[in-house]
Amino acid sequence: MPLPAPVSRLCRRLFMAGLLAFAVPATAAAQLTIRIDDPNFEPLPIAIVAPQASNDDERSTAGRIAGVVTANLEGSGLFRAIDPSAFVQRDGSEVLAPRFNDWKGIGAEALITGRVFHRTNGDIRIEFRLWDVATGRQLVGRRLETGRANWRRLAHKMSDAIYRRLTGESGYFDTRVVYVAESGPVLKRVKRLAIMDQDGANHRFLTNGKNLVMTPRFSPSAQEITYLEFVGEQPRVYILDIDSGQREIVGEFEGMTFAPRFSPDGNRIVMSLARDGNSEIYAMDLRTRATERLTRHPAIDTSPSYAPDGSRIVFDSDRSGRQKIYVMNADGSGVRRISNRPGRYATPVWSPRGDLIAFTKLEAGAFFIGVMQPNGEGERILAQGYLAEGPTWAPNGRVLMYYKKPRGGTAQLYSIDLTGRNERPMSTPEDASDPAWSPLLED
Amino acid sequence: MKLKHALAVLAIALASVGCSTKPPKDGGANTRVTQSELAKPGPGKSWQEYTAPSRNGYSDRVFFAYDRFDLDKDAQATIRAWSEWMRAHRDATVLVEGHADERGTREYNLGLGAKRATAIRDMLIALGVNARRIRTVSYGKERPAVAGDDDDSYRQNRRGVARPSTGGA
């Protein structure tokens, strides 16, 4: 299938110049921080000044970059962008010499200033600074440069740098989401893999809808996707190279393979194989093609997910008579059940930070999205719906995405932060299910 | 299906009652209503005729309880009829589909559909159908039979469906 110009080639052109040796060095002792796990915190008021520009083209770029940064930071639920019409200092000198009393006067606690340059080689360069308004200190000063068509990634990298400096957590804005786009009548649904930036931009379809596809997951490099595709009446696990569009089957097995995920080092696929109707979990080494059976039980064992260090696998099984969540060592030894409450527990996903496991829960006719610790304690429900399923973690382990479908309605993607107070629908061209969040993209 | 059978019989009964409202010329003393089941199409018929509801045929599908894959009496009777058809059509192969309702997670339901399809396959084999003539596939909750989100829709979607094909394996 023909695909648009490879995105990652542009991505690879993204040039991070790193920290500039600006006059005011960033210090680690800044007071301005956001406690993102404090349930009572107020969004931080931030003034985002469109980067200074010297012609109309640059001004247009500057405005679009400021728009993306604003949407990212506000979308996190952690920031409140101050309306630019309230800005007092707007003479250009704010870029290097903010009059902090003016910014205090309009309630800003953080301030972003910068400059944008259209370079003759076709690149865009941006220099930006994040200021602590109370102390007048510069917290971040950075220069970024990339090809002009790739301008959104500059805005995402900026957003990540700001988020990281103010929360102490890595960001998640320079990421992508792969999901299943759904169209057509309910009884003959057309499903296509689709990919988009985390904010919905740069959307494109990866498969043509001829075959039923589901449950995509990114490789650690974010260059490949493993997923389930029905070829004829044969549901099998495949790996798709995003740039080339090349597709490769994962092993030739007698029986259905499904529920695939990459290992954290990208060398293995863990998945279910149903042989004679019995779904067991297998791991396959992608270099040697050696497969290893990890579970041995007549029950349905599926939806595996590696711990971030690769040492353990969490999965769901109905071996107790009902679907519950279990943890085992990566070689299949030491299986133990971790979910002990009533209800069905499914699709466990280990957080990239390792501290939590997200899951789907079914109880009393409703679906829930929640998190628990790897020992099964500290369960918290974050979202619910008539159907709500398949959580996926942002790479910083602070935000989840999943899909929900109201009774009689259509499936849609949502994100929510771990406090559970910032649930946001994602806008997609078609109905959407089975999201998977990429790692932070490489420079 | 049972309800349909009963309705068909009732319709026939009502029709004959309608005929008898006018006093017949002769032999009109019979006040008894006799009824009997229409014969189902024999296994020698095509699958379409064998399973045509309008011809009082066997069903092409069996149903399961929520989160279960065991075959109840109705399902077993239907699969027995399928095995008879397979015996009468030696060149036929059959694809057995396992399906689930939407009240389960996508991947678990694929596993559940596989168990349902396999339960049917195993019974066909036990009834003498060669395993090489049977293929199974699980669609999980991806291909519902009906679009609703009530108990009756769920019931109709928790199903196993036989799709035979003749001429070539």
Side-chain angles (χ1 to χ4, degrees), chain A residues 11 40 96 111 116 142 228 232 268-269 331 351 397 416:
Chain A
C11 298
N40 300 315
L96 285 169
L111 167 68
V116 70
R142 194 165 292 185
L228 174 66
R268 283 152 79 84
I269 295 271
D331 64 1
S351 157
I416 196 163

Side-chain angles (χ1 to χ4, degrees), chain A residues 11-171:
Chain A
C11 298
R12 283 185 207 116
R13 288 191 54 205
L14 187 74
F15 167 65
M16 288 269 301
L19 286 165
L20 289 178
F22 281 146
V24 194
T27 69
Q31 296 157 342
L32 185 63
T33 52
I34 298 175
R35 294 274 311 157
I36 68 180
D37 43 13
D38 173 2
N40 300 315
F41 105 109
E42 294 285 321
L44 182 87
I46 188 167
I48 302 166
V49 181
Q52 210 180 68
S54 51
N55 59 50
D56 284 350
D57 267 5
E58 287 181 355
R59 255 186 294 283
S60 157
T61 301
R64 285 182 287 152
I65 287 175
V68 169
V69 172
T70 302
N72 280 341
L73 295 182
E74 287 209 310
S76 74
L78 302 178
F79 298 86
R80 178 173 62 78
I82 293 169
D83 184 346
S85 67
F87 295 172
V88 177
Q89 185 185 9
R90 45 172 96 201
D91 56 3
S93 64
E94 73 274 9
V95 174
L96 285 169
R99 291 194 300 270
F100 291 105
N101 280 334
D102 283 0
W103 296 102
K104 258 180 239 169
I106 61 168
E109 292 182 31
L111 167 68
I112 300 167
T113 64
R115 273 188 233 188
V116 70
F117 308 92
H118 282 183
R119 309 198 63 215
T120 50
N121 66 359
D123 277 2
I124 292 177
R125 173 185 291 171
I126 188 164
E127 294 171 358
F128 76 93
R129 295 160 199 268
L130 168 66
W131 307 88
D132 178 348
V133 172
T135 63
R137 210 163 1 181
Q138 177 184 301
L139 303 178
V140 174
R142 194 165 292 185
R143 173 189 296 150
L144 300 162
E145 184 167 329
T146 190
R148 206 165 294 182
N150 210 18
W151 66 272
R152 296 189 74 95
R153 290 202 61 205
L154 288 189
H156 293 320
K157 290 274 185 208
M158 256 181 87
S159 307
D160 281 331
I162 294 158
Y163 182 98
R164 175 173 208 131
R165 187 63 185 83
L166 292 177
T167 66
E169 310 278 348
S170 67

Side-chain angles (χ1 to χ4, degrees), chain A residues 251-278:
Chain A
E252 294 287 350
F253 299 99
E254 191 69 31
M256 166 175 67
T257 47
F258 63 110
R261 335 279 190 236
F262 281 96
S263 62
D265 63 8
N267 290 332
R268 283 152 79 84
I269 295 271
V270 65
M271 63 190 170
S272 283
L273 165 60
R275 189 174 275 158
D276 291 328
N278 180 25

Side-chain angles (χ1 to χ4, degrees), chain A residues 187 189 191 212 214-215 228 230 233 256 258-259 261 276-277 279 298 300 303 318 323 344 346 360 362 367 386-387 389 403 405 407-408 433-434, chain B residues 66-67 95 102-112 114-115 118 121-122 135-139 141-150 154:
Chain A
L187 301 188
R189 209 70 169 138
K191 293 192 166 194
L212 180 61
M214 58 184 95
T215 63
L228 174 66
F230 279 67
E233 286 109 16
M256 166 175 67
F258 63 110
R261 335 279 190 236
D276 291 328
S279 300
I300 298 171
S303 300
D318 65 344
Q323 232 177 333
R344 292 172 65 183
T360 304
L362 292 76
F367 281 66
Y386 168 71
L387 285 184
E389 182 177 345
Y403 83 90
K405 179 174 157 316
R407 192 179 274 271
S433 59
D434 293 7
Chain B
Y66 176 66
D67 200 17
L95 175 67
E102 66 181 355
R103 293 169 312 150
T105 48
R106 195 181 304 291
E107 291 171 333
Y108 178 85
N109 279 2
L110 283 171
L112 182 58
K115 280 199 183 292
T118 303
R121 186 192 76 143
D122 289 350
R135 289 179 301 138
T136 60
V137 62
S138 173
Y139 283 100
K141 59 176 172 177
E142 304 307 311
R143 288 285 179 258
V146 295
D149 44 26
D150 48 37
Y154 299 147

